[in-house]
């Protein structure tokens, strides 16, 4: 006797429908078999660990001198467009990322050691690694 012959009497019976319970939607039926996260936050922790950060570059004395000269030129010509590249530390792990902004400098705050841009961006002086402008073709 084959497997089909064993169940032949049930093979073509109509699908049973309950008179007391509403039939479940296909969406809800599929949700029963969907995988679940046994460890909440585990995948987010793995993604955070895998996320790469850059190390902060340290400028030597010659590079600091060039940066200082550029800042002096910028202060003499208000409203000049500059492109500043600076380091932003990561709040969750060691390292960070380099950000480049373009605009004009509003104020160089020597007391707080920061550059304030006209768009409201505040850049710590020790985070700046480069400043570019049309003014600096000779620097």
């Amino acid at each position: 006797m084959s497997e089909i012959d064993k169940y032949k009497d049930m093979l073509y019976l109509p699908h049973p429908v309950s008179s007391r319970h509403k039939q479940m939607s296909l969406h809800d039926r599929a949700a029963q078999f969907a995988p679940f996260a046994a460890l909440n936050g585990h995948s987010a922790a793995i993604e955070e660990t895998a996320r790469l950060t850059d190390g902060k570059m340290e400028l030597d004395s010659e590079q600091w001198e060039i940066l200082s000269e550029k800042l002096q030129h910028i202060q003499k010509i208000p409203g000049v467009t500059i492109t500043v590249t600076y380091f932003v530390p990561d709040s969750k792990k060691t390292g960070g990322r380099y950000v480049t902004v373009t605009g004009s400098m509003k104020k160089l705050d020597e007391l707080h050691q920061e550059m304030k841009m006209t768009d409201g961006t505040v850049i710590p002086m020790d985070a700046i690694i480069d400043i570019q402008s049309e003014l600096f073709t000779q620097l």
Side-chain angles (χ1 to χ4, degrees), residues 43-112:
S43 61
I46 289 173
E47 286 176 23
E48 177 60 27
T49 303
R51 187 173 55 87
L52 299 176
T53 57
D54 294 324
K56 184 178 179 185
M57 290 176 21
E58 296 297 329
L59 301 179
D60 62 25
S61 60
E62 185 178 318
Q63 292 168 319
W64 273 113
E65 185 64 34
I66 292 170
L67 203 57
S68 179
E69 287 178 29
K70 288 180 177 183
L71 287 170
Q72 288 174 10
H73 279 61
I74 294 167
Q75 286 180 306
K76 291 176 187 174
I77 307 170
V80 67
T81 300
I82 58 172
T83 300
V84 182
T85 303
Y86 64 101
F87 183 77
V88 177
D90 194 284
S91 61
K92 296 182 180 180
K93 59 195 314 186
T94 58
R97 62 190 172 95
Y98 286 95
V99 176
T100 302
V101 294
T102 300
S104 55
M105 184 176 74
K106 180 178 182 180
K107 178 182 177 185
L108 189 62
D109 186 349
E110 293 185 29
L111 178 65
H112 295 105

Side-chain angles (χ1 to χ4, degrees), residues 6-7 11 18 23 36 38 40 52 62 73 77 98 106 122 124 133-134:
K6 284 185 192 178
Y7 302 104
L11 231 115
S18 173
Q23 190 170 3
F36 67 98
N40 290 335
L52 299 176
E62 185 178 318
H73 279 61
I77 307 170
Y98 286 95
K106 180 178 182 180
V122 178
S133 176
E134 298 170 355

Side-chain angles (χ1 to χ4, degrees), residues 12-13 19 22 25 29 32 46 56 70 74 83 96 131:
Y12 301 105
L13 290 176
S19 58
K22 187 175 96 175
S25 73
R29 286 178 54 103
Q32 291 181 343
I46 289 173
K56 184 178 179 185
K70 288 180 177 183
I74 294 167
T83 300
I131 300 174

